[in-house]
Amino acid sequence: MARHKTRTILKALAILAGLLIIVRISLPFAAQWYINDVLDEGEEFTGSVGDVDIMLWRGAYSLDDVVILKRTGEVEQPFFEAKQVEFSLLWNALLDKALVAQVDLTAPELNFVDGKSVAESQSGENENWLYLADQLVPLKVDRFEIRRGIVRFINPDSEPAVNIELHDIHAVARNLVNSRSLSKDLIATIEASGNTEQQGTITLSGSLNPATKNPTFDVNLQANDVALVNFKNFLDTYAPFDLEAGTLELALELASDDGEISGYTKPILHQVEVFSWKGDIEEDDDGFFRGLAEALSAFIAELFENQSEDQIATRIPISGSLNDVDTPVLATIGGILKNAFIQAINGNLEDSVQWRDAEEAKEEKEQEAAGEENPRPDPQ
């Protein structure tokens, strides 16, 4: 009797183990079907994934060969693709009794296309990406990392075609959940860097406080040694002139306190060549009037160039609200003149803009508005 009971228990355990093995084997295929179904729910875009790997021991799953395409089929490039996307539990947060996730993207590519029509263009602005993300990640994401990313802007219909990119992007965003149990404050941060075409680097650092009604953030951006000739096709298409040579250096500091912004930008052009007879007349066949316009642009550029540093530069102050940004023309022109004839502007970040600067600008604007509403009575 006891032997028969033991056999029954062993059979039950064997059946249970077999069922668990079957579930474990079928789980990636079921997940792949579910994820493909979710990606197909988009209104303007559809998508698919390749292999799905579930790592129960890590509390993670990864998606290989993720592709998101525009439904019209008239855009050749996928809107988004990635070699691998991994979602996993953030274990150090779990020790603090917070159940949150981290997302790691390996070799993601994002393609913006400016085509001849809406059907042949893609920007992704009309899709509900947050809904799709919520369906794929049941937990709140606290950490997000990108490795070897690429962002492209493409115009396949221009002559010549435009294809510019920012590549080798590495970015890390932290404290996106904004929980005091995970961080000392409620500020989310981001650090990012990337390379432009064949020459040039861009770095960005920023912080964001999502607890305010209107955007509150602090962003620093630095671009160094960006070769302008890499953007020649873009400038030929979207600008009234082209640049035959030169590099760009840029510094930008911008802070916003509840929607009121303060900051500056310093664009610096080094060794700029706007016009060349061989490049514009002989090779590009620009014609008399365009050639004349570019020659005039080259003369003006030379006139306002700092000769010792071989650069054209200015410092543009930025203030106002996000809906009404003020960049004073006189201050911009003054910066050009100062760089040309007094002292060359350097392209380093000044570390002079913080949230409190935007807050002070906001208070000044409120005081001015209050003064207009309650003007002082004229003395008798």
Side-chain angles (χ1 to χ4, degrees), residues 121-157:
S121 304
Q122 64 183 15
S123 63
E125 60 181 345
N126 297 321
E127 194 61 83
N128 190 353
W129 300 111
L130 290 178
Y131 167 78
L132 297 177
D134 287 341
Q135 303 306 304
L136 296 176
V137 191
L139 303 177
K140 291 183 177 180
V141 176
D142 190 68
R143 187 180 186 277
F144 188 90
E145 183 166 3
I146 295 173
R147 300 183 183 90
R148 305 196 312 274
I150 297 175
V151 176
R152 292 191 184 92
F153 177 82
I154 302 165
N155 185 335
D157 303 311

PDB file of all heavy atoms in Angstrom, residues 121-157:
ATOM      1  N   SER A 121       7.065  60.012 -45.713  1.00  0.00           N
ATOM      2  CA  SER A 121       7.850  60.615 -44.627  1.00  0.00           C
ATOM      3  C   SER A 121       7.549  59.890 -43.324  1.00  0.00           C
ATOM      4  O   SER A 121       6.519  59.226 -43.186  1.00  0.00           O
ATOM      5  CB  SER A 121       7.521  62.099 -44.479  1.00  0.00           C
ATOM      6  OG  SER A 121       7.719  62.793 -45.695  1.00  0.00           O
ATOM      7  N   GLN A 122       8.450  60.027 -42.353  1.00  0.00           N
ATOM      8  CA  GLN A 122       8.180  59.448 -41.035  1.00  0.00           C
ATOM      9  C   GLN A 122       8.932  60.225 -39.958  1.00  0.00           C
ATOM     10  O   GLN A 122      10.105  60.552 -40.094  1.00  0.00           O
ATOM     11  CB  GLN A 122       8.566  57.972 -40.983  1.00  0.00           C
ATOM     12  CG  GLN A 122      10.023  57.649 -41.168  1.00  0.00           C
ATOM     13  CD  GLN A 122      10.305  56.151 -41.166  1.00  0.00           C
ATOM     14  OE1 GLN A 122       9.395  55.327 -41.300  1.00  0.00           O
ATOM     15  NE2 GLN A 122      11.554  55.769 -41.025  1.00  0.00           N
ATOM     16  N   SER A 123       8.175  60.565 -38.906  1.00  0.00           N
ATOM     17  CA  SER A 123       8.764  61.235 -37.747  1.00  0.00           C
ATOM     18  C   SER A 123       8.356  60.571 -36.443  1.00  0.00           C
ATOM     19  O   SER A 123       8.977  60.785 -35.407  1.00  0.00           O
ATOM     20  CB  SER A 123       8.337  62.712 -37.716  1.00  0.00           C
ATOM     21  OG  SER A 123       6.930  62.810 -37.552  1.00  0.00           O
ATOM     22  N   GLY A 124       7.275  59.768 -36.475  1.00  0.00           N
ATOM     23  CA  GLY A 124       6.827  59.062 -35.278  1.00  0.00           C
ATOM     24  C   GLY A 124       6.035  59.902 -34.309  1.00  0.00           C
ATOM     25  O   GLY A 124       5.675  59.423 -33.227  1.00  0.00           O
ATOM     26  N   GLU A 125       5.705  61.149 -34.675  1.00  0.00           N
ATOM     27  CA  GLU A 125       5.074  62.063 -33.721  1.00  0.00           C
ATOM     28  C   GLU A 125       3.622  61.721 -33.429  1.00  0.00           C
ATOM     29  O   GLU A 125       3.089  62.121 -32.387  1.00  0.00           O
ATOM     30  CB  GLU A 125       5.169  63.495 -34.250  1.00  0.00           C
ATOM     31  CG  GLU A 125       4.488  63.714 -35.582  1.00  0.00           C
ATOM     32  CD  GLU A 125       4.620  65.142 -36.075  1.00  0.00           C
ATOM     33  OE1 GLU A 125       4.994  65.994 -35.254  1.00  0.00           O
ATOM     34  OE2 GLU A 125       4.367  65.385 -37.263  1.00  0.00           O
ATOM     35  N   ASN A 126       2.939  60.991 -34.310  1.00  0.00           N
ATOM     36  CA  ASN A 126       1.507  60.740 -34.128  1.00  0.00           C
ATOM     37  C   ASN A 126       1.202  59.382 -33.512  1.00  0.00           C
ATOM     38  O   ASN A 126       0.031  59.014 -33.404  1.00  0.00           O
ATOM     39  CB  ASN A 126       0.788  60.862 -35.477  1.00  0.00           C
ATOM     40  CG  ASN A 126       0.887  62.249 -36.063  1.00  0.00           C
ATOM     41  OD1 ASN A 126       0.813  63.235 -35.328  1.00  0.00           O
ATOM     42  ND2 ASN A 126       1.082  62.346 -37.364  1.00  0.00           N
ATOM     43  N   GLU A 127       2.227  58.628 -33.122  1.00  0.00           N
ATOM     44  CA  GLU A 127       2.002  57.300 -32.558  1.00  0.00           C
ATOM     45  C   GLU A 127       1.975  57.360 -31.036  1.00  0.00           C
ATOM     46  O   GLU A 127       2.662  58.172 -30.420  1.00  0.00           O
ATOM     47  CB  GLU A 127       3.118  56.361 -33.021  1.00  0.00           C
ATOM     48  CG  GLU A 127       2.833  54.888 -32.789  1.00  0.00           C
ATOM     49  CD  GLU A 127       1.602  54.404 -33.540  1.00  0.00           C
ATOM     50  OE1 GLU A 127       1.727  54.082 -34.744  1.00  0.00           O
ATOM     51  OE2 GLU A 127       0.525  54.378 -32.921  1.00  0.00           O
ATOM     52  N   ASN A 128       1.170  56.483 -30.430  1.00  0.00           N
ATOM     53  CA  ASN A 128       1.068  56.418 -28.967  1.00  0.00           C
ATOM     54  C   ASN A 128       2.111  55.435 -28.434  1.00  0.00           C
ATOM     55  O   ASN A 128       1.812  54.296 -28.073  1.00  0.00           O
ATOM     56  CB  ASN A 128      -0.347  55.973 -28.562  1.00  0.00           C
ATOM     57  CG  ASN A 128      -0.585  56.128 -27.065  1.00  0.00           C
ATOM     58  OD1 ASN A 128       0.339  56.435 -26.310  1.00  0.00           O
ATOM     59  ND2 ASN A 128      -1.810  55.922 -26.633  1.00  0.00           N
ATOM     60  N   TRP A 129       3.365  55.898 -28.373  1.00  0.00           N
ATOM     61  CA  TRP A 129       4.459  55.022 -27.967  1.00  0.00           C
ATOM     62  C   TRP A 129       4.369  54.637 -26.498  1.00  0.00           C
ATOM     63  O   TRP A 129       4.787  53.534 -26.120  1.00  0.00           O
ATOM     64  CB  TRP A 129       5.805  55.701 -28.255  1.00  0.00           C
ATOM     65  CG  TRP A 129       6.000  56.027 -29.699  1.00  0.00           C
ATOM     66  CD1 TRP A 129       6.034  57.266 -30.275  1.00  0.00           C
ATOM     67  CD2 TRP A 129       6.175  55.089 -30.781  1.00  0.00           C
ATOM     68  NE1 TRP A 129       6.223  57.164 -31.632  1.00  0.00           N
ATOM     69  CE2 TRP A 129       6.311  55.846 -31.976  1.00  0.00           C
ATOM     70  CE3 TRP A 129       6.221  53.700 -30.851  1.00  0.00           C
ATOM     71  CZ2 TRP A 129       6.492  55.246 -33.214  1.00  0.00           C
ATOM     72  CZ3 TRP A 129       6.401  53.096 -32.086  1.00  0.00           C
ATOM     73  CH2 TRP A 129       6.530  53.871 -33.248  1.00  0.00           C
ATOM     74  N   LEU A 130       3.843  55.509 -25.650  1.00  0.00           N
ATOM     75  CA  LEU A 130       3.745  55.206 -24.226  1.00  0.00           C
ATOM     76  C   LEU A 130       2.819  54.019 -23.973  1.00  0.00           C
ATOM     77  O   LEU A 130       3.094  53.165 -23.128  1.00  0.00           O
ATOM     78  CB  LEU A 130       3.259  56.431 -23.443  1.00  0.00           C
ATOM     79  CG  LEU A 130       4.251  57.593 -23.325  1.00  0.00           C
ATOM     80  CD1 LEU A 130       3.622  58.744 -22.571  1.00  0.00           C
ATOM     81  CD2 LEU A 130       5.530  57.138 -22.628  1.00  0.00           C
ATOM     82  N   TYR A 131       1.712  53.945 -24.729  1.00  0.00           N
ATOM     83  CA  TYR A 131       0.792  52.812 -24.586  1.00  0.00           C
ATOM     84  C   TYR A 131       1.485  51.511 -24.960  1.00  0.00           C
ATOM     85  O   TYR A 131       1.386  50.504 -24.248  1.00  0.00           O
ATOM     86  CB  TYR A 131      -0.443  53.028 -25.459  1.00  0.00           C
ATOM     87  CG  TYR A 131      -1.290  51.783 -25.604  1.00  0.00           C
ATOM     88  CD1 TYR A 131      -2.141  51.388 -24.575  1.00  0.00           C
ATOM     89  CD2 TYR A 131      -1.209  50.993 -26.752  1.00  0.00           C
ATOM     90  CE1 TYR A 131      -2.905  50.228 -24.690  1.00  0.00           C
ATOM     91  CE2 TYR A 131      -1.965  49.839 -26.877  1.00  0.00           C
ATOM     92  CZ  TYR A 131      -2.813  49.457 -25.843  1.00  0.00           C
ATOM     93  OH  TYR A 131      -3.556  48.311 -25.956  1.00  0.00           O
ATOM     94  N   LEU A 132       2.208  51.513 -26.089  1.00  0.00           N
ATOM     95  CA  LEU A 132       2.900  50.305 -26.518  1.00  0.00           C
ATOM     96  C   LEU A 132       3.966  49.893 -25.508  1.00  0.00           C
ATOM     97  O   LEU A 132       4.141  48.702 -25.223  1.00  0.00           O
ATOM     98  CB  LEU A 132       3.535  50.526 -27.898  1.00  0.00           C
ATOM     99  CG  LEU A 132       2.568  50.813 -29.048  1.00  0.00           C
ATOM    100  CD1 LEU A 132       3.335  51.081 -30.334  1.00  0.00           C
ATOM    101  CD2 LEU A 132       1.595  49.651 -29.242  1.00  0.00           C
ATOM    102  N   ALA A 133       4.681  50.882 -24.962  1.00  0.00           N
ATOM    103  CA  ALA A 133       5.716  50.578 -23.969  1.00  0.00           C
ATOM    104  C   ALA A 133       5.104  49.970 -22.713  1.00  0.00           C
ATOM    105  O   ALA A 133       5.661  49.031 -22.126  1.00  0.00           O
ATOM    106  CB  ALA A 133       6.497  51.841 -23.624  1.00  0.00           C
ATOM    107  N   ASP A 134       3.949  50.481 -22.286  1.00  0.00           N
ATOM    108  CA  ASP A 134       3.284  49.946 -21.098  1.00  0.00           C
ATOM    109  C   ASP A 134       2.878  48.492 -21.295  1.00  0.00           C
ATOM    110  O   ASP A 134       2.879  47.701 -20.344  1.00  0.00           O
ATOM    111  CB  ASP A 134       2.054  50.787 -20.751  1.00  0.00           C
ATOM    112  CG  ASP A 134       2.420  52.136 -20.161  1.00  0.00           C
ATOM    113  OD1 ASP A 134       3.565  52.278 -19.690  1.00  0.00           O
ATOM    114  OD2 ASP A 134       1.571  53.038 -20.185  1.00  0.00           O
ATOM    115  N   GLN A 135       2.507  48.125 -22.521  1.00  0.00           N
ATOM    116  CA  GLN A 135       2.112  46.745 -22.802  1.00  0.00           C
ATOM    117  C   GLN A 135       3.311  45.803 -22.789  1.00  0.00           C
ATOM    118  O   GLN A 135       3.183  44.615 -22.471  1.00  0.00           O
ATOM    119  CB  GLN A 135       1.410  46.659 -24.162  1.00  0.00           C
ATOM    120  CG  GLN A 135       0.193  47.539 -24.310  1.00  0.00           C
ATOM    121  CD  GLN A 135      -0.816  47.314 -23.201  1.00  0.00           C
ATOM    122  OE1 GLN A 135      -1.271  46.196 -22.984  1.00  0.00           O
ATOM    123  NE2 GLN A 135      -1.160  48.370 -22.493  1.00  0.00           N
ATOM    124  N   LEU A 136       4.488  46.325 -23.143  1.00  0.00           N
ATOM    125  CA  LEU A 136       5.684  45.486 -23.219  1.00  0.00           C
ATOM    126  C   LEU A 136       6.421  45.393 -21.897  1.00  0.00           C
ATOM    127  O   LEU A 136       7.100  44.401 -21.628  1.00  0.00           O
ATOM    128  CB  LEU A 136       6.633  46.024 -24.299  1.00  0.00           C
ATOM    129  CG  LEU A 136       6.103  45.978 -25.737  1.00  0.00           C
ATOM    130  CD1 LEU A 136       7.100  46.636 -26.679  1.00  0.00           C
ATOM    131  CD2 LEU A 136       5.833  44.545 -26.166  1.00  0.00           C
ATOM    132  N   VAL A 137       6.338  46.442 -21.081  1.00  0.00           N
ATOM    133  CA  VAL A 137       7.049  46.466 -19.791  1.00  0.00           C
ATOM    134  C   VAL A 137       6.027  46.710 -18.685  1.00  0.00           C
ATOM    135  O   VAL A 137       5.567  47.833 -18.500  1.00  0.00           O
ATOM    136  CB  VAL A 137       8.131  47.568 -19.759  1.00  0.00           C
ATOM    137  CG1 VAL A 137       9.028  47.392 -18.540  1.00  0.00           C
ATOM    138  CG2 VAL A 137       8.963  47.546 -21.024  1.00  0.00           C
ATOM    139  N   PRO A 138       5.637  45.671 -17.948  1.00  0.00           N
ATOM    140  CA  PRO A 138       4.620  45.854 -16.906  1.00  0.00           C
ATOM    141  C   PRO A 138       5.108  46.675 -15.721  1.00  0.00           C
ATOM    142  O   PRO A 138       4.300  47.162 -14.942  1.00  0.00           O
ATOM    143  CB  PRO A 138       4.307  44.401 -16.475  1.00  0.00           C
ATOM    144  CG  PRO A 138       5.535  43.627 -16.839  1.00  0.00           C
ATOM    145  CD  PRO A 138       6.092  44.283 -18.072  1.00  0.00           C
ATOM    146  N   LEU A 139       6.430  46.842 -15.575  1.00  0.00           N
ATOM    147  CA  LEU A 139       6.981  47.606 -14.466  1.00  0.00           C
ATOM    148  C   LEU A 139       7.401  49.001 -14.925  1.00  0.00           C
ATOM    149  O   LEU A 139       7.662  49.231 -16.105  1.00  0.00           O
ATOM    150  CB  LEU A 139       8.207  46.886 -13.880  1.00  0.00           C
ATOM    151  CG  LEU A 139       8.004  45.461 -13.383  1.00  0.00           C
ATOM    152  CD1 LEU A 139       9.327  44.883 -12.920  1.00  0.00           C
ATOM    153  CD2 LEU A 139       6.971  45.406 -12.264  1.00  0.00           C
ATOM    154  N   LYS A 140       7.488  49.936 -13.986  1.00  0.00           N
ATOM    155  CA  LYS A 140       8.018  51.259 -14.290  1.00  0.00           C
ATOM    156  C   LYS A 140       9.517  51.164 -14.541  1.00  0.00           C
ATOM    157  O   LYS A 140      10.227  50.431 -13.867  1.00  0.00           O
ATOM    158  CB  LYS A 140       7.735  52.223 -13.136  1.00  0.00           C
ATOM    159  CG  LYS A 140       6.263  52.575 -12.974  1.00  0.00           C
ATOM    160  CD  LYS A 140       6.063  53.594 -11.866  1.00  0.00           C
ATOM    161  CE  LYS A 140       4.605  53.996 -11.749  1.00  0.00           C
ATOM    162  NZ  LYS A 140       4.395  54.994 -10.673  1.00  0.00           N
ATOM    163  N   VAL A 141       9.985  51.911 -15.523  1.00  0.00           N
ATOM    164  CA  VAL A 141      11.400  51.884 -15.899  1.00  0.00           C
ATOM    165  C   VAL A 141      12.139  52.976 -15.142  1.00  0.00           C
ATOM    166  O   VAL A 141      11.782  54.154 -15.232  1.00  0.00           O
ATOM    167  CB  VAL A 141      11.573  52.070 -17.419  1.00  0.00           C
ATOM    168  CG1 VAL A 141      13.053  52.137 -17.785  1.00  0.00           C
ATOM    169  CG2 VAL A 141      10.888  50.932 -18.177  1.00  0.00           C
ATOM    170  N   ASP A 142      13.190  52.578 -14.414  1.00  0.00           N
ATOM    171  CA  ASP A 142      13.963  53.560 -13.639  1.00  0.00           C
ATOM    172  C   ASP A 142      15.315  53.862 -14.278  1.00  0.00           C
ATOM    173  O   ASP A 142      15.861  54.935 -14.075  1.00  0.00           O
ATOM    174  CB  ASP A 142      14.201  53.046 -12.212  1.00  0.00           C
ATOM    175  CG  ASP A 142      14.789  54.123 -11.312  1.00  0.00           C
ATOM    176  OD1 ASP A 142      14.059  55.093 -11.031  1.00  0.00           O
ATOM    177  OD2 ASP A 142      15.960  54.012 -10.926  1.00  0.00           O
ATOM    178  N   ARG A 143      15.845  52.928 -15.076  1.00  0.00           N
ATOM    179  CA  ARG A 143      17.147  53.129 -15.715  1.00  0.00           C
ATOM    180  C   ARG A 143      17.063  52.715 -17.177  1.00  0.00           C
ATOM    181  O   ARG A 143      16.480  51.683 -17.508  1.00  0.00           O
ATOM    182  CB  ARG A 143      18.236  52.322 -15.005  1.00  0.00           C
ATOM    183  CG  ARG A 143      19.653  52.607 -15.489  1.00  0.00           C
ATOM    184  CD  ARG A 143      20.664  51.761 -14.713  1.00  0.00           C
ATOM    185  NE  ARG A 143      22.039  52.112 -15.047  1.00  0.00           N
ATOM    186  CZ  ARG A 143      22.692  51.645 -16.108  1.00  0.00           C
ATOM    187  NH1 ARG A 143      22.086  50.803 -16.953  1.00  0.00           N
ATOM    188  NH2 ARG A 143      23.939  52.010 -16.340  1.00  0.00           N
ATOM    189  N   PHE A 144      17.654  53.542 -18.041  1.00  0.00           N
ATOM    190  CA  PHE A 144      17.562  53.314 -19.489  1.00  0.00           C
ATOM    191  C   PHE A 144      18.936  53.564 -20.091  1.00  0.00           C
ATOM    192  O   PHE A 144      19.542  54.609 -19.851  1.00  0.00           O
ATOM    193  CB  PHE A 144      16.529  54.288 -20.082  1.00  0.00           C
ATOM    194  CG  PHE A 144      16.199  54.052 -21.519  1.00  0.00           C
ATOM    195  CD1 PHE A 144      15.167  53.203 -21.876  1.00  0.00           C
ATOM    196  CD2 PHE A 144      16.912  54.685 -22.527  1.00  0.00           C
ATOM    197  CE1 PHE A 144      14.857  52.988 -23.199  1.00  0.00           C
ATOM    198  CE2 PHE A 144      16.604  54.472 -23.854  1.00  0.00           C
ATOM    199  CZ  PHE A 144      15.567  53.623 -24.192  1.00  0.00           C
ATOM    200  N   GLU A 145      19.449  52.592 -20.852  1.00  0.00           N
ATOM    201  CA  GLU A 145      20.783  52.744 -21.431  1.00  0.00           C
ATOM    202  C   GLU A 145      20.780  52.374 -22.908  1.00  0.00           C
ATOM    203  O   GLU A 145      20.148  51.398 -23.316  1.00  0.00           O
ATOM    204  CB  GLU A 145      21.807  51.893 -20.685  1.00  0.00           C
ATOM    205  CG  GLU A 145      23.228  52.082 -21.201  1.00  0.00           C
ATOM    206  CD  GLU A 145      24.301  51.518 -20.281  1.00  0.00           C
ATOM    207  OE1 GLU A 145      23.931  50.921 -19.245  1.00  0.00           O
ATOM    208  OE2 GLU A 145      25.497  51.677 -20.593  1.00  0.00           O
ATOM    209  N   ILE A 146      21.505  53.185 -23.692  1.00  0.00           N
ATOM    210  CA  ILE A 146      21.676  52.946 -25.130  1.00  0.00           C
ATOM    211  C   ILE A 146      23.150  52.754 -25.414  1.00  0.00           C
ATOM    212  O   ILE A 146      23.988  53.534 -24.954  1.00  0.00           O
ATOM    213  CB  ILE A 146      21.136  54.134 -25.955  1.00  0.00           C
ATOM    214  CG1 ILE A 146      19.629  54.276 -25.773  1.00  0.00           C
ATOM    215  CG2 ILE A 146      21.488  53.972 -27.434  1.00  0.00           C
ATOM    216  CD1 ILE A 146      19.061  55.534 -26.414  1.00  0.00           C
ATOM    217  N   ARG A 147      23.475  51.713 -26.190  1.00  0.00           N
ATOM    218  CA  ARG A 147      24.859  51.458 -26.601  1.00  0.00           C
ATOM    219  C   ARG A 147      24.913  51.380 -28.126  1.00  0.00           C
ATOM    220  O   ARG A 147      24.098  50.713 -28.743  1.00  0.00           O
ATOM    221  CB  ARG A 147      25.381  50.146 -26.001  1.00  0.00           C
ATOM    222  CG  ARG A 147      25.395  50.089 -24.486  1.00  0.00           C
ATOM    223  CD  ARG A 147      25.990  48.771 -24.012  1.00  0.00           C
ATOM    224  NE  ARG A 147      25.953  48.643 -22.556  1.00  0.00           N
ATOM    225  CZ  ARG A 147      24.940  48.112 -21.885  1.00  0.00           C
ATOM    226  NH1 ARG A 147      23.869  47.684 -22.553  1.00  0.00           N
ATOM    227  NH2 ARG A 147      24.970  48.029 -20.570  1.00  0.00           N
ATOM    228  N   ARG A 148      25.893  52.061 -28.694  1.00  0.00           N
ATOM    229  CA  ARG A 148      26.149  52.043 -30.143  1.00  0.00           C
ATOM    230  C   ARG A 148      24.905  52.439 -30.946  1.00  0.00           C
ATOM    231  O   ARG A 148      24.559  51.806 -31.945  1.00  0.00           O
ATOM    232  CB  ARG A 148      26.662  50.672 -30.597  1.00  0.00           C
ATOM    233  CG  ARG A 148      27.886  50.188 -29.858  1.00  0.00           C
ATOM    234  CD  ARG A 148      28.600  49.048 -30.566  1.00  0.00           C
ATOM    235  NE  ARG A 148      27.721  47.984 -31.010  1.00  0.00           N
ATOM    236  CZ  ARG A 148      27.332  46.960 -30.258  1.00  0.00           C
ATOM    237  NH1 ARG A 148      27.755  46.882 -28.996  1.00  0.00           N
ATOM    238  NH2 ARG A 148      26.565  46.024 -30.721  1.00  0.00           N
ATOM    239  N   GLY A 149      24.245  53.494 -30.511  1.00  0.00           N
ATOM    240  CA  GLY A 149      23.045  53.949 -31.193  1.00  0.00           C
ATOM    241  C   GLY A 149      23.339  54.826 -32.397  1.00  0.00           C
ATOM    242  O   GLY A 149      24.419  55.397 -32.541  1.00  0.00           O
ATOM    243  N   ILE A 150      22.340  54.935 -33.286  1.00  0.00           N
ATOM    244  CA  ILE A 150      22.439  55.774 -34.484  1.00  0.00           C
ATOM    245  C   ILE A 150      21.114  56.507 -34.680  1.00  0.00           C
ATOM    246  O   ILE A 150      20.040  55.907 -34.555  1.00  0.00           O
ATOM    247  CB  ILE A 150      22.749  54.941 -35.744  1.00  0.00           C
ATOM    248  CG1 ILE A 150      24.115  54.261 -35.637  1.00  0.00           C
ATOM    249  CG2 ILE A 150      22.711  55.809 -37.002  1.00  0.00           C
ATOM    250  CD1 ILE A 150      24.431  53.339 -36.800  1.00  0.00           C
ATOM    251  N   VAL A 151      21.198  57.808 -34.975  1.00  0.00           N
ATOM    252  CA  VAL A 151      20.024  58.592 -35.379  1.00  0.00           C
ATOM    253  C   VAL A 151      20.316  59.184 -36.746  1.00  0.00           C
ATOM    254  O   VAL A 151      21.359  59.821 -36.938  1.00  0.00           O
ATOM    255  CB  VAL A 151      19.705  59.712 -34.368  1.00  0.00           C
ATOM    256  CG1 VAL A 151      18.548  60.560 -34.876  1.00  0.00           C
ATOM    257  CG2 VAL A 151      19.371  59.130 -33.008  1.00  0.00           C
ATOM    258  N   ARG A 152      19.396  58.971 -37.701  1.00  0.00           N
ATOM    259  CA  ARG A 152      19.601  59.460 -39.068  1.00  0.00           C
ATOM    260  C   ARG A 152      18.482  60.414 -39.475  1.00  0.00           C
ATOM    261  O   ARG A 152      17.332  60.282 -39.045  1.00  0.00           O
ATOM    262  CB  ARG A 152      19.609  58.298 -40.065  1.00  0.00           C
ATOM    263  CG  ARG A 152      20.791  57.360 -39.961  1.00  0.00           C
ATOM    264  CD  ARG A 152      20.827  56.419 -41.157  1.00  0.00           C
ATOM    265  NE  ARG A 152      21.898  55.441 -41.028  1.00  0.00           N
ATOM    266  CZ  ARG A 152      21.746  54.253 -40.475  1.00  0.00           C
ATOM    267  NH1 ARG A 152      20.565  53.902 -39.986  1.00  0.00           N
ATOM    268  NH2 ARG A 152      22.756  53.410 -40.398  1.00  0.00           N
ATOM    269  N   PHE A 153      18.856  61.363 -40.345  1.00  0.00           N
ATOM    270  CA  PHE A 153      17.875  62.196 -41.049  1.00  0.00           C
ATOM    271  C   PHE A 153      18.089  61.960 -42.543  1.00  0.00           C
ATOM    272  O   PHE A 153      19.198  62.147 -43.048  1.00  0.00           O
ATOM    273  CB  PHE A 153      18.039  63.675 -40.710  1.00  0.00           C
ATOM    274  CG  PHE A 153      17.095  64.557 -41.486  1.00  0.00           C
ATOM    275  CD1 PHE A 153      15.793  64.733 -41.074  1.00  0.00           C
ATOM    276  CD2 PHE A 153      17.514  65.186 -42.655  1.00  0.00           C
ATOM    277  CE1 PHE A 153      14.913  65.533 -41.799  1.00  0.00           C
ATOM    278  CE2 PHE A 153      16.648  65.986 -43.379  1.00  0.00           C
ATOM    279  CZ  PHE A 153      15.344  66.160 -42.945  1.00  0.00           C
ATOM    280  N   ILE A 154      17.021  61.576 -43.234  1.00  0.00           N
ATOM    281  CA  ILE A 154      17.132  61.157 -44.632  1.00  0.00           C
ATOM    282  C   ILE A 154      16.122  61.917 -45.482  1.00  0.00           C
ATOM    283  O   ILE A 154      14.958  62.076 -45.100  1.00  0.00           O
ATOM    284  CB  ILE A 154      16.877  59.646 -44.777  1.00  0.00           C
ATOM    285  CG1 ILE A 154      17.873  58.851 -43.918  1.00  0.00           C
ATOM    286  CG2 ILE A 154      16.967  59.197 -46.229  1.00  0.00           C
ATOM    287  CD1 ILE A 154      17.493  57.403 -43.719  1.00  0.00           C
ATOM    288  N   ASN A 155      16.585  62.404 -46.623  1.00  0.00           N
ATOM    289  CA  ASN A 155      15.696  62.910 -47.667  1.00  0.00           C
ATOM    290  C   ASN A 155      16.103  62.220 -48.966  1.00  0.00           C
ATOM    291  O   ASN A 155      17.044  62.648 -49.644  1.00  0.00           O
ATOM    292  CB  ASN A 155      15.792  64.424 -47.803  1.00  0.00           C
ATOM    293  CG  ASN A 155      14.791  64.979 -48.808  1.00  0.00           C
ATOM    294  OD1 ASN A 155      14.350  64.288 -49.721  1.00  0.00           O
ATOM    295  ND2 ASN A 155      14.421  66.247 -48.639  1.00  0.00           N
ATOM    296  N   PRO A 156      15.419  61.129 -49.331  1.00  0.00           N
ATOM    297  CA  PRO A 156      15.837  60.358 -50.496  1.00  0.00           C
ATOM    298  C   PRO A 156      15.498  61.022 -51.821  1.00  0.00           C
ATOM    299  O   PRO A 156      15.994  60.595 -52.872  1.00  0.00           O
ATOM    300  CB  PRO A 156      15.063  59.045 -50.334  1.00  0.00           C
ATOM    301  CG  PRO A 156      13.842  59.430 -49.563  1.00  0.00           C
ATOM    302  CD  PRO A 156      14.263  60.544 -48.653  1.00  0.00           C
ATOM    303  N   ASP A 157      14.663  62.072 -51.795  1.00  0.00           N
ATOM    304  CA  ASP A 157      14.177  62.675 -53.034  1.00  0.00           C
ATOM    305  C   ASP A 157      14.947  63.918 -53.454  1.00  0.00           C
ATOM    306  O   ASP A 157      14.729  64.445 -54.540  1.00  0.00           O
ATOM    307  CB  ASP A 157      12.686  63.024 -52.896  1.00  0.00           C
ATOM    308  CG  ASP A 157      11.848  61.814 -52.549  1.00  0.00           C
ATOM    309  OD1 ASP A 157      12.019  60.777 -53.234  1.00  0.00           O
ATOM    310  OD2 ASP A 157      11.059  61.884 -51.593  1.00  0.00           O
TER     311      ASP A 157
END
